[in-house]
Amino acid sequence: MDNFHQPVLLKETITLLNCHPGGIYVDGTTGEGGHALHILKTCPNIRLLIGIDRDEDNIEQTNQRLSPFKDKYFLVKGNFSEIKKIISHLKIEAVDGVILDLGVSSHQLLSPSRGFSFLVDGPLDMRTDRQQKTTAGNVVNEFSKEELKKIFWNYGEEKWSAAIAQRIVKRRRETPITTTLELANLVTNAIPARARPRKIHPATRIFQALRIAVNDELTHLEKCLPEAIDVLTPGGRMAVISFHSLEDRIVKTTFREHSRACICPPRIPQCRCGHIPKLKLLTKKPILPTTEEISQNPRSRSARLRGAEKI
Ligand SMILES: C[S@@+](CC[C@H](N)C(=O)[O-])C[C@H]1O[C@@H](n2cnc3c(N)ncnc32)[C@H](O)[C@@H]1O
């Protein structure tokens, strides 16, 4: 096995996408190129694969990895929430498939300097796009106690959000919190020993919540999905892998809303909305990884794949 990020639900995603010769596909979260490479290998006659990622390092690394397919792909450092603008810059009007595999890649997670991990020491950074100004350090040291509590509760569902926010505010009055291990220890100590989770590191939820907040992940997803649906050609497909219940809810709701024939409020007896469905759902329930995949790649355990087809 190589050092690259192991793509999650790979076979299932490629099957959903149903690539065909001559088609144009967008991988909105190219990462380390796992899904992209598989698309190019299994369907070498596609016209183009457009790969988007916020992270320059991942774009550079993937460029080398995909180089044997040099005329078949084009990589863009950008945000998937700008998918319409990105493809129109390439003078493309519609695409045949879009894939999103949300979150962060292994290289990002394991690089101490990126500051995503509570297991290795590094600066409190967590930006997927390093041109962005706000880092996790800014959030932890500058946001109010109430704001921190809200982030920890909303994005991490952390029961001890208030105690952790309180501990952070108290510490930063003495000295700023600058490293990942400093924050991880502080979080652990803010949770009473008897209440600390046993199966995961006590700081897991807080790091996840901070990452979502720093990168404004849910806002970008909410903006991207309707744009992606718009740019799909009839019969074109979308496949989205999420790792967090809030992400999955956004995907589920957006797909549902765009697949319903009527969006009138339930109290209205006769439809007046004239809504035209744009999507057909391909997955009524999300596709989950098999126990075999989870045992080979524990990171896949919370993955959920949903798919839809443009009508
Ligand atoms: C789970 S990884 C994707 C892994 C990839 N499928 C592979 O097999 O290597 C998620 C990637 O999405 C990128 N990303 C997250 N949010 C993004 C956004 N709003 N726009 C573009 N890229 C984003 C991250 O930088 C990261 O590289």
Side-chain angles (χ1 to χ4, degrees), residues 24-132:
I24 302 178
Y25 297 88
V26 177
D27 182 347
T29 51
T30 307
E32 296 168 40
H35 286 98
L37 186 65
H38 204 72
I39 291 173
L40 290 164
K41 274 187 180 163
T42 53
C43 201
N45 295 327
I46 61 168
R47 192 164 125 216
L48 188 67
L49 176 86
I50 302 161
I52 305 172
D53 204 289
R54 296 185 83 190
D55 187 327
E56 259 164 359
D57 288 1
N58 277 351
I59 287 287
E60 216 168 280
Q61 193 180 26
T62 300
N63 198 19
Q64 289 174 21
R65 203 171 178 206
L66 302 187
S67 58
F69 300 90
K70 65 178 183 318
D71 299 328
K72 290 285 175 184
Y73 73 92
F74 189 85
L75 299 182
V76 181
K77 190 224 167 245
N79 196 313
F80 58 54
S81 62
E82 309 264 289
I83 184 168
K84 248 186 188 169
K85 204 152 107 192
I86 292 172
I87 71 157
S88 87
H89 271 164
L90 298 174
K91 310 251 178 294
I92 292 170
E93 274 173 23
V95 301
D96 300 276
V98 176
I99 156 178
L100 297 178
D101 171 19
L102 303 167
V104 286
S105 71
S106 304
H107 172 73
Q108 290 169 323
L109 195 61
L110 300 175
S111 302
S113 66
R114 303 300 300 266
F116 285 105
S117 171
F118 43 75
L119 296 175
V120 286
D121 208 10
L124 261 184
D125 191 321
M126 297 196 192
R127 290 168 302 167
T128 44
D129 177 356
R130 274 178 294 174
Q131 280 165 336
Q132 174 187 302

Side-chain angles (χ1 to χ4, degrees), residues 214-279:
V214 168
N215 297 296
D216 209 1
E217 293 181 11
L218 303 180
T219 310
H220 294 310
L221 181 62
E222 274 170 343
K223 178 163 183 286
C224 170
L225 293 176
E227 285 204 10
I229 294 167
D230 274 356
V231 300
L232 277 179
T233 196
R237 289 182 165 199
M238 246 180 110
V240 185
I241 304 169
S242 58
F243 292 85
H244 190 285
S245 56
L246 291 176
E247 288 170 346
D248 184 52
R249 195 181 307 155
I250 293 172
V251 180
K252 182 169 119 183
T253 320
T254 312
F255 280 5
R256 257 208 206 141
E257 268 170 19
H258 284 83
S259 64
R260 272 166 47 188
C262 166
I263 53 166
C264 289
R267 67 195 146 73
I268 295 192
Q270 213 174 1
C271 172
R272 285 195 224 139
C273 66
H275 180 75
I276 298 171
K278 291 184 181 168
L279 289 180

